[in-house]
């Protein structure tokens, strides 16, 4: 995972200069598991009844994923109240590992209405076991005008450090662009991968111009990208910029775009986590190499 004497590739958050390693961790599906305190704390009588899917053993594996994540020097973990039990699992494991201070916690508000939004964000902070959320994002732009003013007040009050907006479809890119143009936000989170490059046309240059950080979600197209290369060897020239696996090829393509702050691949597999963190070391592909990567991908 981590070559000896290697330094992690980081990017500054445009609005503050705080640096973030370019590879983070998504939690959708991967961290939505039972078997722990978060399940019991719900008070809805769901303990055991809803604790399906091999809870305790899966949690031990996820603890190993997070241990390797922090050992490797990575920081940003992305969650949402939309991801079932994920926030609670992340909160429990961060406490268990004593890793809150090492983490940059990003989560989201995903509801309509001011009071419902405030209540949901309070619950997220409880589940994540933190007084301050590092980044609060408006999930899929749901009721974004209402939440943006709440988020600004919370930021002023020190309850969160950064504000963002998210979506995952290319059809939402014009609305993301309009908000970046008119409002002051710290981050935009959007779908960007070697397979889905629509954000390159307008939103990525706009974010760079306006000093807005970019978090790339669905870096593996939800895992579908691996299906396309199942019988394809990684081209030997990818080793010139330090990629020995397809995961690293996909991730280095994303984070070598100058507007991108980080990518957040989801995994519940410690081996995959180590593989993904490998993309945070060595050099990044340059412009001509990026073009070669795209040409290769489009030829498959
Ligand atoms: N609207 C939004 O705000 C929004 C929308 C979508 C996603 N997101 C965020 O973005 C994150 C990432 O997107 P995603 O979860 O949809 O999908 P993704 O990260 O593109 O892909 C995840 C899939 O890739 C597999 N994988 C991970 N590393 C691998 C490796 N090295 N080799 C082979 N397979 C690997 C995972 O399986 P294993 O567990 O087996 O590794 C999983 O099936 C989400 O978890 C979420 O935090 C946000």
């Amino acid at each position: 995972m981590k070559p000896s004497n290697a330094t992690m590739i980081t990017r500054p958050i445009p609005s503050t200069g705080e640096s973030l390693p370019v590879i983070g961790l998504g939690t959708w599906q991967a961290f939505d598991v039972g078997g722990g305190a978060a399940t019991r704390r719900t008070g809805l009588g769901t303990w055991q009844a809803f604790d399906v899917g091999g809870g305790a053993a899966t949690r031990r594996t996820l603890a190993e994923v997070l241990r390797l994540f922090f050992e490797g020097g990575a920081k940003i973990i992305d969650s949402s109240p939309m991801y079932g039990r994920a926030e609670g699992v992340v909160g429990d494991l961060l406490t268990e590992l004593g890793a809150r201070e090492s983490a940059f916690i990003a989560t989201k508000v995903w509801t309509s209405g001011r009071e419902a939004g405030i209540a949901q964000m309070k619950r997220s902070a409880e589940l994540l076991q933190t007084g301050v959320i590092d980044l609060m994002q408006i999930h899929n732009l749901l009721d974004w005008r209402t939440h943006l003013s709440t988020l600004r007040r919370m930021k002023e009050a020190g309850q969160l450090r950064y504000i963002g907006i998210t979506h995952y479809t290319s059809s939402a890119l014009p609305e993301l662009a309009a908000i970046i143009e008119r409002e002051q936000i710290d981050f935009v989170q959007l779908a960007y991968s070697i397979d889905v490059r629509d954000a390159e046309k307008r939103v990525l240059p706009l974010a760079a111009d306006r000093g807005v950080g970019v978090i790339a979600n669905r870096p593996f197209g939800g895992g579908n990208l691996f299906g396309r290369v199942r019988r394809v060897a990684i081209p030997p020239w990818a080793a010139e910029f330090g990629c020995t696996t397809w995961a690293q090829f996909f991730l280095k393509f994303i984070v070598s775009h100058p507007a991108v702050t980080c990518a957040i691949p989801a995994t519940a597999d410690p081996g995959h986590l180590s593989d993904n963190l490998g993309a945070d070391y060595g050099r990044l592909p340059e412009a001509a190499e990026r073009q070669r990567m795209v040409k290769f991908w489009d030829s498959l």
Side-chain angles (χ1 to χ4, degrees), residues 25-30 77-80 82-83 108 137-141 165-169 189-191 215-226 245-248 251 264-276:
L25 183 65
T27 63
W28 183 54
Q29 295 180 321
I77 302 174
D78 178 74
S79 197
S80 169
M82 189 201 192
Y83 302 163
K108 312 190 186 85
Q137 307 156 102
I138 302 168
H139 199 151
N140 289 351
L141 300 177
I165 54 174
T166 82
H167 214 287
Y168 67 104
T169 64
Q189 184 187 136
L190 45 74
I215 299 173
N217 66 34
R218 297 185 61 76
F220 302 140
N224 292 337
L225 270 60
F226 294 105
T245 67
W246 278 115
Q248 293 166 11
L251 291 172
I264 47 167
T267 184
D269 179 323
H272 287 170
L273 188 280
S274 296
D275 181 6
N276 298 344

Side-chain angles (χ1 to χ4, degrees), residues 9-240:
I9 305 166
T10 61
R11 283 269 163 78
I13 299 171
S15 59
T16 61
E18 177 180 352
S19 79
L20 273 185
V22 294
I23 303 300
L25 183 65
T27 63
W28 183 54
Q29 295 180 321
F31 277 67
D32 181 14
V33 300
T39 311
R40 291 194 294 276
R41 265 203 312 272
T42 60
L44 296 172
T46 59
W47 184 48
Q48 290 178 328
F50 278 49
D51 183 8
V52 292
T58 312
R59 271 183 181 241
R60 280 197 296 280
T61 308
L62 291 176
E64 179 62 4
V65 166
L66 283 187
R67 193 191 66 73
L68 290 167
F69 184 73
F70 294 119
E71 184 184 81
K75 280 190 176 174
I76 181 167
I77 302 174
D78 178 74
S79 197
S80 169
M82 189 201 192
Y83 302 163
R85 294 160 290 191
E87 287 183 313
V89 172
V90 170
D92 285 350
L93 295 180
L94 288 181
T95 299
E96 191 180 307
L97 295 167
R100 172 63 189 98
E101 293 310 311
S102 308
F104 182 103
I105 299 179
T107 193
K108 312 190 186 85
V109 56
W110 181 64
T111 187
S112 293
R114 183 175 175 275
E115 294 310 318
I118 291 169
Q120 190 179 65
M121 289 188 269
K122 189 166 173 276
R123 179 71 181 143
S124 291
E126 281 167 12
L127 287 169
L128 289 160
Q129 301 180 33
T130 184
V132 179
I133 303 280
D134 294 298
L135 166 62
M136 183 60 77
Q137 307 156 102
I138 302 168
H139 199 151
N140 289 351
L141 300 177
L142 186 61
D143 202 6
W144 69 265
R145 285 184 182 81
T146 304
H147 298 315
L148 198 53
S149 61
T150 308
L151 262 50
R152 289 202 174 110
R153 275 197 299 278
M154 289 174 70
K155 188 175 173 180
E156 274 167 31
Q159 294 165 294
L160 52 92
R161 301 202 298 130
Y162 296 99
I163 292 171
I165 54 174
T166 82
H167 214 287
Y168 67 104
T169 64
S170 293
S171 57
L173 291 173
E175 197 174 1
L176 292 177
I179 297 170
I180 293 169
E181 272 182 332
R182 286 182 219 138
E183 308 284 351
Q184 270 220 311
I185 53 170
D186 300 296
F187 281 98
V188 60
Q189 184 187 136
L190 45 74
Y192 180 53
S193 69
I194 197 159
D195 195 42
V196 177
R197 306 188 296 269
D198 305 297
E200 287 176 351
K201 287 179 207 119
R202 176 149 161 69
V203 180
L204 292 183
L206 181 66
D209 188 50
R210 302 278 302 190
V212 172
V214 175
I215 299 173
N217 66 34
R218 297 185 61 76
F220 302 140
N224 292 337
L225 270 60
F226 294 105
R228 192 148 146 193
V229 292
R230 199 172 293 128
R231 287 181 193 80
V232 183
I234 184 168
W237 43 262
E240 290 165 22

